[in-house]
Amino acid sequence: MVYYPTRLKTRQTYSWVGRPLLDRQLHHKTYTEMCVKIGDSTEIHVEVGQFVLIEGKDNENPRVAKLVELFEDVGKVTFPVVALAPDEVVPTDLENEKIFFVKLSWNKEKFRPLSPKLFAELGKLPEGSSKCQKRVRTKPHCLESPSCTPAERVVTRIESKHSAAKSRQTPTHPVTPRARKRLELGSKTPNTRMSQQTSCASSGSLGVSKRKMALSEITSPSKRSQPDKLQTLSPVRKAPEKSGKIRLFGTKDDKKALPEHHMILRTRISALETTEVSGDTTLNPVSGGWRSSEVPSIILKPVIKKRGTKQQESQNEATSTPRRTCRKSSLLTLNRIRQQLRFLGNDKSDKEEEEFLPAAEISDSSNEEEEASTPPHPRRTPRSTSKNLHSSLKSSLQTPSKTPKKTPKPRTPRHATPQIRSRKLAARQPSSALEEARLRLHVSAVPESLPCREQEFQDIYNFVESKLLDHTGGCMYISGVPGTGKTATVHEVIRCLQQAAQTRNVPSFRFIEVNGMKLTEPHQVYVQILEKLTGQKATANHAAEILAKRFRTQGSPQETTVLLVDELDLLWTHKQDVMYNLFDWPTHKEARLVILTIANTMDLPERIMMNRVSSRLGLTRMSFQPYTHSQLQQILVSRLKHLKAFEDDAIQLVARKVAALSGDARRCLDICRRATEICELSHQKPDAPRLVTIAHLMEALDEMFSSSYITAIKNCSMLEQSFLRAILAEFRQSGLEEATFHQIYSQHVTLCRMEGLPYPTMSESMAVCSQLGSCRLLLVEPSRNDLLLRIRLNVNQDDVLYALKE
Amino acid sequence: MSSRKSKSNNLIHVDCLSQVQRILRERFCHQSPHNNLYGVQVQYKHLIELLKRTAINGESNSVLIIGPRGSGKTMLINHALKELMEIEDVSENILHVHLNGLLQINDKIALKEITRQLNLENVVGDKVFGSFAENLSFLLEALKKGDRTSSCPVIFILDEFDLFAHHKNQTLLYNLFDISQSAQTPVAIVGLTCRLCLSEDRSVREVLQKHFSVSKSLRSLHMLLMFALNLVTASHPFISATDLMEANQLCSMDSKANIVHGLSVLEICLVIAMKHLNDIYEEEPFNFQMVYNEFQKFVQRKAHSVYNFEKPVVMKAFEHLQQLELIKPMERTSGNSQREYQLMKLLLDNTQIMNALQKYPNCPTDVRQWAASSLSWF
């Protein structure tokens, strides 16, 4: 048994090529091409219709399969594939388990002939399409064993879609049992976006020109679709469901924290592992609810396509095989496959392959591929059973209708992509200086550097850097009132450190951010951390266990993790277990966890934390002071950066005003933004140079800071105003700050009589009272108390007097 | 407000009149968005500029529209949205989400509603499944993914905004404002509230403020005109000043005085007795026994026309007053306390009682005299 202990040193990146075709019914998007990028240099290119090598655990029996469909799964439940030896019997006692069993019957003897109907259909296919060629450049390097890091782990699953899909299946292939094997190539891909290139309909036509186009697409990925590349549909799409399929999908977990994407190659196992085996053999998918204990992982090798091998490809085309293995031309096909395999096997000195494969491995792989020309040993597991049970298996094969059918209930798609649809028209660019200024002054505009926070930046940077260099962990507590740049500074530190990590000045690290306000419940923080760390989903309790295990035990990750916890005070629970755990993890030597916590209050550790929690938090504290007026001014100037939109005095005014009140930079920016709006409205002439003056800023400041109550009272109706007067009179008379409605009403009536006005009825007064109460000018009891309703003013009495006087 | 129809043909006249009446009724009853806005043009211009900038430039904004009930906040935003939708660049470029604090009473429901209205990919049919935490992270993920230039702006309209501020931790508001202040999907958040001051919170950010000052509610004006309109008949085709006065009286009618008009003489007597007790003991609460004693004094010494009812009959009348909520028990009725001695308070004002008595039909003269002065029988 040849075993490949290889492990890719380079990172593999998976991305789609081409625009997805959405299959609404099956809830997945189909693609025609997939791009696998290894390291920086090589791109492997997988297209529908190509042949790929599949490797199982037993590498003696690699198989060649043909890709039938590439699709991205949007939320189907998947289940493990269980491969059985040819003479192994499918266990029948586990009816309710959703596991697919695949019979690996590669020998002629074990093969079950296909139904005549299918046979006839295959015959119709253009078998002689010699220009279709397969480019089997099987890469014999084994990806990973399942125990590897989650980013690169390979898991074989099968989906339970079988029965449901079959019930939906087109009546043209009613006999064919369908099974889909799903290979999961989990890989941490920094790849951000699926390149939404076109070639949407060009799925199958694999002419030379087509492939060249595909190459160019890869080298210059663009999002715009190019309509000239639309081609006719290939026959592959038309009959994709005739045999077992293999899906391959890579989990993406990219920088932008996109949720999982699954790239799935649905292959059709039509070509076989050995050339000697009759072409009629196909993978016989046995569907149903049986289980065996052995789950071999199947690894799908994507076809590698390199720019340097165009010559060979054209050569290959000369000896190309039909894309679809038909029963009639099976021998021819398999001969060609063998040629290909041999060709590739001899091609091991190809220097580009050596770029990412050690030579020893290549020789191994080539050996193996040459071995493929010998009849393979039937796969047999140690506990494989007698052959006479095989018949029972066959009978179960022939009656696929017995398989339990399940119709999936409508539920939330598990892998729904969270996305707001993109806009149809492009956003308009700012046309005037004022608009430009407004854009720059928006809080969301991230400046390149944060002025006035250099010292804090340096402190945090030094802290995190030292922890990274020492391979240790630690906690830091950062406090400050809102709008003083805490979060922005930390983000900038992380950005700088990430740049430094790229140039190898500091060890690489992972950055995770959670925000207390963005959690529904404090314990959800575990779920978020776990998901961002590994991509796993778990309940809060389970996630806490997994994380504790990860951070407390040996053999934990090589990288340091930097965790930013924003709005820490929201993580407070009665037991304080969340905070305790967070601060406890870094104290373990193996954890290599750096935690930066942010909250508003300076004395949060002393105020709300228990001693054992605050002691673990440590004494590394930092406090962000509110900005002074000169700092605010500097911030504004640096944001505007030579853009002449404000008068200098105006900037100084707003900086001083805000600094005197709160020192909140957000508020300062908002006021300036509002001032630009006012300026824009006040200037009617479009060509005149507009400058925001002090007057505009004063207006904006008034809007922001003026008391809304006084404006409201001034705009009250006569009756409301006289009711307020009555309240004031009653308060003065009684010397209390509270009165019942009855008292105020009689006071009101008296006042009206004194002034000779018609006095209101009680119902009217009641309406007025509740109106004022709903504005919160008054604080009133619920109105069921009627006359005994107690009333208080919610505003200062002097304010009311002042407002009523005018 | 009047229909200017010639009186020449009576038949046509009636038809026309009812038609005019119907049209006017429709205008008063329904908020018609084609109406012009009066008095709020400045605010309207400001609002529409703000929304336009979100839609066209992809700039995040937030507005809080404050004004008393019936001052046209909802009309303003409806108007603005309608005008926005008429602009071609904008109409296909924005998504809007309407939430109401009275309907979405907690963040969980609000999140599901947002997800449903945005029609994100985790919506199945018309429903959103999954836990609160899942939905929150999904929605945040969705909004975080976008950026200023490429994703479609979303306009959130939060009616009864103050109620959202009562949600636990203000998770929804924090996240919405956080999105509007960071480089994510552009959003415009429009809050509508009649509350002048939101409970001050540190985490939820300040919002631009605007005030409206329509002195009195438009709705009550519509109501008043509606009453007046209903008085219009074929014989009385024009709305006159007296009609408006009458309508105004209808609107400002004292509902409690109306109830007093329907009381029996015995009940009126009891109310008067309570009034006297209030005068004597200065608003101290009373019980049935005190009222009964007072009533007895009146009947024995002064009354000529009032029959001396038995105590259970008086008790029944007393309970009827309680049911009408003209009197109110001071504390909750407990099972063991005797009903005769339960402390009560009168919910009528002296002036109300006197006014009601003057209009009371067939009020006996001695009762009227007794009401004027408790001491007159000496």
Side-chain angles (χ1 to χ4, degrees):
Chain A
M1 185 138 175
V2 189
Y3 179 67
Y4 302 102
T6 50
R7 177 172 298 198
L8 277 181
K9 297 291 182 289
T10 48
R11 219 157 37 171
Q12 291 202 348
T13 319
Y14 296 87
S15 62
W16 293 117
V17 178
R19 188 194 287 163
L21 299 164
L22 196 63
D23 188 344
R24 271 284 172 209
Q25 220 179 9
L26 294 173
H27 293 289
H28 51 62
K29 294 172 180 169
T30 51
Y31 292 82
T32 54
E33 256 179 299
M34 189 178 98
C35 175
V36 185
K37 204 171 178 183
I38 300 170
D40 297 327
S41 52
T42 320
E43 279 181 346
I44 307 172
H45 206 69
V46 186
E47 256 179 80
V48 167
Q50 286 178 338
F51 291 85
V52 292
L53 181 76
I54 299 170
E55 286 177 7
K57 238 179 195 169
D58 52 341
N59 292 304
E60 290 167 330
N61 302 326
R63 274 149 281 149
V64 177
K66 181 173 179 177
L67 286 179
V68 174
E69 223 173 318
L70 283 162
F71 65 93
E72 184 186 348
D73 201 88
V74 207
K76 282 288 175 244
V77 191
T78 55
F79 296 97
V81 173
V82 174
L84 300 174
D87 44 1
E88 210 176 345
V89 173
V90 173
T92 48
D93 49 340
L94 297 153
E95 290 280 307
N96 49 355
E97 293 293 331
K98 292 168 185 164
I99 294 177
F100 264 31
F101 289 83
V102 178
K103 192 80 176 174
L104 298 171
S105 52
W106 305 108
N107 295 10
K108 265 180 209 169
E109 297 85 33
K110 303 279 161 38
F111 180 68
R112 191 172 59 83
L114 282 176
S115 71
K117 192 171 179 182
L118 189 62
F119 206 83
E121 202 162 332
L122 280 168
K124 280 182 224 156
L125 291 167
E127 47 182 302
S129 59
S130 57
K131 67 180 173 214
C132 300
Q133 64 101 207
K134 74 180 172 47
R135 288 168 294 146
V136 186
R137 302 286 309 278
T138 48
K139 271 296 122 200
H141 53 267
C142 189
L143 277 186
E144 291 297 329
S145 64
S147 61
C148 291
T149 56
E152 290 165 355
R153 113 197 91 104
V154 176
V155 178
T156 317
R157 297 194 282 166
I158 231 180
E159 53 178 356
S160 72
K161 209 164 26 174
H162 169 67
S163 52
K166 198 156 69 177
S167 59
R168 265 190 254 122
Q169 211 171 5
T170 51
T172 45
H173 334 286
V175 199
T176 323
R178 252 172 65 152
R180 289 169 187 174
K181 279 195 273 177
R182 174 175 289 196
L183 306 183
E184 194 173 85
L185 290 180
S187 75
K188 196 184 81 180
T189 52
N191 171 355
T192 56
R193 226 165 258 259
M194 325 231 160
S195 52
Q196 294 181 336
Q197 283 171 334
T198 87
S199 71
C200 54
S202 62
S203 45
S205 58
L206 283 169
V208 191
S209 59
K210 170 61 201 151
R211 200 167 311 111
K212 277 178 183 166
M213 260 182 330
L215 272 173
S216 67
E217 278 167 24
I218 287 172
T219 48
S220 62
S222 73
K223 283 180 196 167
R224 303 274 165 192
S225 64
Q226 294 150 5
D228 54 332
K229 286 186 183 168
L230 294 176
Q231 312 225 342
T232 51
L233 270 174
S234 77
V236 180
R237 299 196 133 278
K238 287 172 189 159
E241 306 178 329
K242 274 172 201 144
S243 63
K245 285 167 186 168
I246 284 184
R247 288 182 178 192
L248 178 147
F249 63 93
T251 332
K252 290 177 46 166
D253 179 12
D254 52 22
K255 273 184 205 157
K256 282 196 173 177
L258 296 172
E260 282 191 357
H261 284 272
H262 296 289
M263 305 172 87
I264 296 167
L265 307 176
R266 190 187 289 172
T267 60
R268 169 219 271 255
I269 312 218
S270 50
L272 301 168
E273 57 176 357
T274 60
T275 46
E276 267 69 29
V277 172
S278 151
D280 284 340
T281 51
T282 34
L283 183 70
N284 275 334
V286 180
S287 58
W290 303 285
R291 149 185 275 182
S292 90
S293 58
E294 196 201 33
V295 182
S297 66
I298 299 175
I299 298 161
L300 200 149
K301 296 279 101 185
V303 177
I304 296 192
K305 179 177 184 177
K306 277 164 296 182
R307 277 158 221 162
T309 56
K310 272 182 195 168
Q311 284 297 96
Q312 293 159 10
E313 276 170 15
S314 57
Q315 237 181 313
N316 290 348
E317 272 155 26
T319 62
S320 62
T321 50
R323 299 166 59 233
R324 188 165 295 276
T325 30
C326 304
R327 299 289 166 270
K328 287 172 185 172
S329 61
S330 60
L331 273 175
L332 181 70
T333 310
L334 287 163
N335 275 331
R336 281 171 181 164
I337 293 172
R338 183 171 54 188
Q339 279 171 12
Q340 291 289 333
L341 288 171
R342 279 189 178 151
F343 178 75
L344 290 168
N346 296 334
D347 202 31
K348 65 188 170 191
S349 58
D350 187 357
K351 55 179 185 284
E352 280 160 30
E353 273 179 34
E354 281 173 348
E355 277 179 4
F356 52 94
L357 265 187
E361 287 165 19
I362 290 171
S363 66
D364 266 355
S365 62
S366 60
N367 282 345
E368 197 231 68
E369 276 164 22
E370 277 153 11
E371 258 179 30
S373 60
T374 64
H377 311 291
R379 288 194 51 186
R380 195 182 288 260
T381 50
R383 37 159 206 84
S384 70
T385 49
S386 64
K387 282 185 181 177
N388 45 8
L389 281 173
H390 189 65
S391 56
S392 68
L393 168 73
K394 271 194 169 176
S395 67
S396 71
L397 273 175
Q398 280 151 357
T399 55
S401 61
K402 277 183 185 172
T403 52
K405 289 193 176 176
K406 281 205 174 62
T407 46
K409 282 178 188 168
R411 49 163 312 196
T412 316
R414 182 174 291 179
H415 306 299
T417 43
Q419 195 165 21
I420 306 285
R421 73 171 170 83
S422 53
R423 60 191 301 152
K424 295 208 170 88
L425 293 162
R428 194 184 291 166
Q429 289 305 309
S431 55
S432 70
L434 277 178
E435 282 180 18
E436 175 72 33
R438 200 181 303 134
L439 206 66
R440 289 194 199 170
L441 288 172
H442 198 281
V443 184
S444 69
V446 183
E448 294 92 61
S449 70
L450 284 173
C452 311
R453 288 289 179 225
E454 290 83 9
Q455 186 56 47
E456 285 86 354
F457 173 83
Q458 202 56 48
D459 288 351
I460 300 174
Y461 189 92
N462 290 344
F463 175 80
V464 180
E465 191 189 28
S466 67
K467 298 294 179 204
L468 287 177
L469 292 172
D470 299 348
H471 300 299
T472 54
C475 291
M476 186 179 203
Y477 178 72
I478 300 166
S479 65
V481 292
T484 47
K486 302 179 294 295
T487 313
T489 307
V490 172
H491 277 143
E492 193 172 338
V493 166
I494 297 298
R495 211 163 41 235
C496 288
L497 280 169
Q498 273 165 345
Q499 278 170 5
Q502 275 179 0
T503 55
R504 308 263 171 222
N505 287 332
V506 292
S508 65
F509 64 96
R510 301 190 70 162
F511 175 60
I512 295 172
E513 185 184 359
V514 287
N515 187 326
M517 277 305 271
K518 295 186 180 175
L519 304 171
T520 52
E521 198 261 331
H523 290 95
Q524 287 290 328
V525 74
Y526 299 130
V527 180
Q528 294 238 327
I529 294 174
L530 184 70
E531 200 185 336
K532 286 173 180 168
L533 205 59
T534 65
Q536 283 174 274
K537 278 190 174 175
T539 60
N541 286 336
H542 189 213
E545 280 169 25
I546 296 174
L547 286 172
K549 206 170 159 192
R550 183 187 166 97
F551 289 126
R552 282 180 189 167
T553 51
Q554 295 280 349
S556 48
Q558 301 299 307
E559 282 182 326
T560 306
T561 309
V562 178
L563 175 65
L564 169 62
V565 184
D566 212 342
E567 314 283 356
L568 177 73
D569 42 344
L570 267 297
L571 294 184
W572 188 87
T573 53
H574 187 69
K575 270 175 71 186
Q576 309 199 351
D577 50 340
V578 176
M579 286 186 184
Y580 180 88
N581 277 335
L582 278 181
F583 301 142
D584 192 40
W585 293 334
T587 58
H588 292 270
K589 200 172 132 262
E590 305 82 21
R592 300 183 58 181
L593 180 67
V594 182
I595 296 190
L596 304 171
T597 56
I598 297 180
N600 289 140
T601 39
M602 208 153 78
D603 55 346
L604 185 82
E606 286 75 31
R607 235 165 19 111
I608 69 166
M609 290 186 202
M610 292 189 282
N611 283 338
R612 65 194 108 181
V613 177
S614 58
S615 122
R616 278 173 173 78
L617 175 60
L619 289 170
T620 321
R621 304 273 176 87
M622 170 169 292
S623 168
F624 278 63
Q625 299 305 321
Y627 288 110
T628 62
H629 68 88
S630 56
Q631 285 175 328
L632 283 175
Q633 199 175 342
Q634 201 180 332
I635 289 169
L636 287 176
V637 169
S638 79
R639 284 225 176 198
L640 288 171
K641 226 190 298 167
H642 311 305
L643 192 72
K644 194 63 189 160
F646 281 81
E647 284 181 357
D648 293 342
D649 289 349
I651 289 180
Q652 192 171 359
L653 173 85
V654 68
R656 281 182 184 275
K657 282 266 185 189
V658 173
L661 202 82
S662 62
D664 186 340
R666 284 198 194 101
R667 187 168 286 236
C668 186
L669 293 172
D670 277 347
I671 291 171
C672 289
R673 229 154 52 85
R674 177 75 189 118
T676 61
E677 288 172 17
I678 293 170
C679 175
E680 208 163 55
L681 281 176
S682 62
H683 282 263
Q684 296 308 323
K685 289 171 287 181
D687 50 340
R690 296 171 185 175
L691 265 188
V692 180
T693 60
I694 288 185
H696 296 136
L697 264 174
M698 282 306 286
E699 203 179 326
L701 279 168
D702 281 348
E703 250 177 50
M704 284 279 186
F705 294 125
S706 71
S707 162
S708 50
Y709 287 119
I710 291 178
T711 340
I713 293 172
K714 276 182 191 167
N715 289 311
C716 276
S717 67
M718 285 272 289
L719 196 58
E720 284 162 343
Q721 287 185 348
S722 66
F723 192 79
L724 283 171
R725 272 199 196 94
I727 293 175
L728 286 183
E730 178 63 35
F731 285 177
R732 207 174 303 140
Q733 204 172 353
S734 66
L736 297 173
E737 293 275 294
E738 190 182 276
T740 65
F741 176 73
H742 189 199
Q743 290 167 324
I744 292 166
Y745 178 70
S746 25
Q747 193 79 36
H748 194 182
V749 170
T750 320
L751 279 178
C752 286
R753 278 190 180 143
M754 258 164 53
E755 293 177 26
L757 295 169
Y759 54 89
T761 61
M762 189 166 295
S763 296
E764 275 178 311
S765 293
M766 203 56 158
V768 163
C769 176
S770 64
Q771 172 93 309
L772 292 174
S774 75
C775 293
R776 286 295 185 278
L777 279 170
L778 302 181
L779 296 175
V780 291
E781 281 185 324
S783 55
R784 69 184 148 79
N785 284 345
D786 210 47
L787 271 188
L788 310 174
L789 191 80
R790 277 177 301 196
I791 295 173
R792 274 185 199 192
L793 271 180
N794 196 24
V795 204
N796 195 343
Q797 288 193 24
D798 297 336
D799 284 357
V800 179
L801 261 185
Y802 169 78
L804 289 176
K805 220 173 258 173
E806 294 188 1
Chain B
M1 229 14 87
S2 55
S3 51
R4 304 209 171 275
K5 286 285 163 196
S6 69
K7 290 185 184 178
S8 56
N9 193 329
N10 208 27
L11 199 68
I12 296 173
H13 177 80
V14 172
D15 279 355
C16 287
L17 198 71
S18 64
Q19 210 168 357
V20 168
Q21 219 170 357
R22 190 179 55 78
I23 291 168
L24 286 175
R25 266 181 202 150
E26 259 172 24
R27 285 197 189 162
F28 291 150
C29 285
H30 303 292
Q31 272 193 358
S32 41
H34 52 79
N35 274 355
N36 288 325
L37 292 163
Y38 295 109
V40 287
Q41 278 95 346
V42 180
Q43 286 88 348
Y44 179 69
K45 201 173 166 193
H46 183 179
L47 180 67
I48 201 120
E49 280 297 315
L50 217 66
L51 293 178
K52 258 191 211 165
R53 279 210 308 277
T54 300
I56 295 170
N57 291 352
E59 180 183 308
S60 291
N61 278 310
S62 51
V63 176
L64 189 57
I65 302 174
I66 304 172
R69 298 214 181 275
S71 57
K73 305 180 291 293
T74 313
M75 190 184 69
L76 186 82
I77 183 71
N78 284 345
H79 240 263
L81 280 182
K82 189 163 168 281
E83 191 182 317
L84 270 186
M85 287 328 231
E86 279 165 6
I87 305 170
E88 209 151 292
D89 289 7
V90 177
S91 58
E92 51 194 53
N93 233 346
I94 51 172
L95 298 165
H96 37 100
V97 175
H98 291 261
L99 300 177
N100 191 320
L102 292 171
L103 296 177
Q104 280 80 38
I105 51 166
N106 61 35
D107 282 348
K108 188 178 175 182
I109 300 171
L111 276 179
K112 287 196 172 180
E113 183 64 19
I114 293 173
T115 318
R116 195 187 65 75
Q117 290 191 19
L118 286 177
N119 205 8
L120 295 181
E121 272 186 50
N122 61 347
V123 177
V124 177
D126 220 10
K127 293 203 172 75
V128 184
F129 297 93
S131 70
F132 182 26
E134 276 171 19
N135 286 336
L136 179 68
S137 58
F138 187 89
L139 187 70
L140 290 180
E141 199 67 56
L143 291 167
K144 206 159 77 179
K145 229 178 186 179
D147 59 353
R148 191 179 70 79
T149 46
S150 68
S151 43
C152 192
V154 186
I155 295 180
F156 287 93
I157 293 156
L158 308 179
D159 213 342
E160 307 290 345
F161 184 81
D162 46 329
L163 296 179
F164 285 99
H166 289 161
H167 294 178
K168 193 193 161 214
N169 282 352
Q170 305 186 335
T171 310
L172 182 78
L173 291 186
Y174 177 92
N175 286 314
L176 283 183
F177 287 121
D178 194 55
I179 290 159
S180 82
Q181 303 215 330
S182 51
Q184 302 178 356
T185 303
V187 291
I189 299 155
V190 183
L192 307 175
T193 183
C194 62
R195 207 56 101 71
L196 292 173
C197 167
L198 295 170
S199 47
E200 301 283 345
D201 47 79
R202 275 163 286 125
S203 52
V204 172
R205 279 69 190 262
E206 80 287 334
V207 275
L208 300 175
Q209 294 195 338
K210 313 194 306 178
H211 317 292
F212 295 122
S213 50
V214 177
S215 60
K216 263 220 138 187
S217 155
L218 276 174
R219 263 179 226 154
S220 57
L221 179 66
H222 280 172
M223 179 101 118
L224 177 73
L225 292 174
M226 193 69 184
F227 276 126
L229 185 68
N230 288 342
L231 294 175
V232 172
T233 55
S235 56
H236 179 69
F238 300 111
I239 295 176
S240 62
T242 48
D243 286 340
L244 282 176
M245 292 286 284
E246 205 174 317
N248 192 25
Q249 243 168 15
L250 263 174
C251 278
S252 61
M253 197 146 48
D254 192 344
S255 50
K256 259 192 224 158
N258 276 357
I259 295 177
V260 175
H261 291 171
L263 293 180
S264 68
V265 175
L266 174 61
E267 282 156 354
I268 285 280
C269 288
L270 289 181
V271 168
I272 293 167
M274 289 169 198
K275 170 184 171 287
H276 290 325
L277 283 174
N278 267 348
D279 289 345
I280 295 163
Y281 297 108
E282 288 181 337
E283 307 285 323
E284 288 298 308
F286 49 84
N287 59 27
F288 170 71
Q289 199 57 49
M290 291 162 78
V291 176
Y292 184 67
N293 287 344
E294 197 73 15
F295 177 63
Q296 282 290 316
K297 276 191 240 169
F298 165 63
V299 169
Q300 283 163 10
R301 307 197 187 165
K302 192 78 197 291
H304 311 292
S305 57
V306 181
Y307 179 73
N308 191 2
F309 295 102
E310 285 175 31
K311 197 173 177 183
V313 178
V314 181
M315 185 70 197
K316 200 76 198 161
F318 190 77
E319 278 173 356
H320 188 225
L321 287 178
Q322 191 182 339
Q323 277 169 5
L324 289 172
E325 290 195 337
L326 292 177
I327 54 174
K328 191 169 183 276
M330 289 296 286
E331 63 261 357
R332 291 257 148 255
T333 42
S334 50
N336 49 9
S337 75
Q338 277 183 295
R339 279 181 301 172
E340 289 92 336
Y341 300 105
Q342 204 175 16
L343 290 177
M344 296 284 197
K345 272 209 156 187
L346 182 63
L347 296 182
L348 283 169
D349 189 50
N350 278 354
T351 48
Q352 270 180 313
I353 297 169
M354 297 314 285
N355 286 346
L357 266 182
Q358 260 154 31
K359 286 181 199 160
Y360 191 82
N362 304 324
C363 184
T365 332
D366 45 352
V367 174
R368 210 169 279 209
Q369 280 172 352
W370 181 44
S373 165
S374 63
L375 305 172
S376 60
W377 47 267
F378 279 121

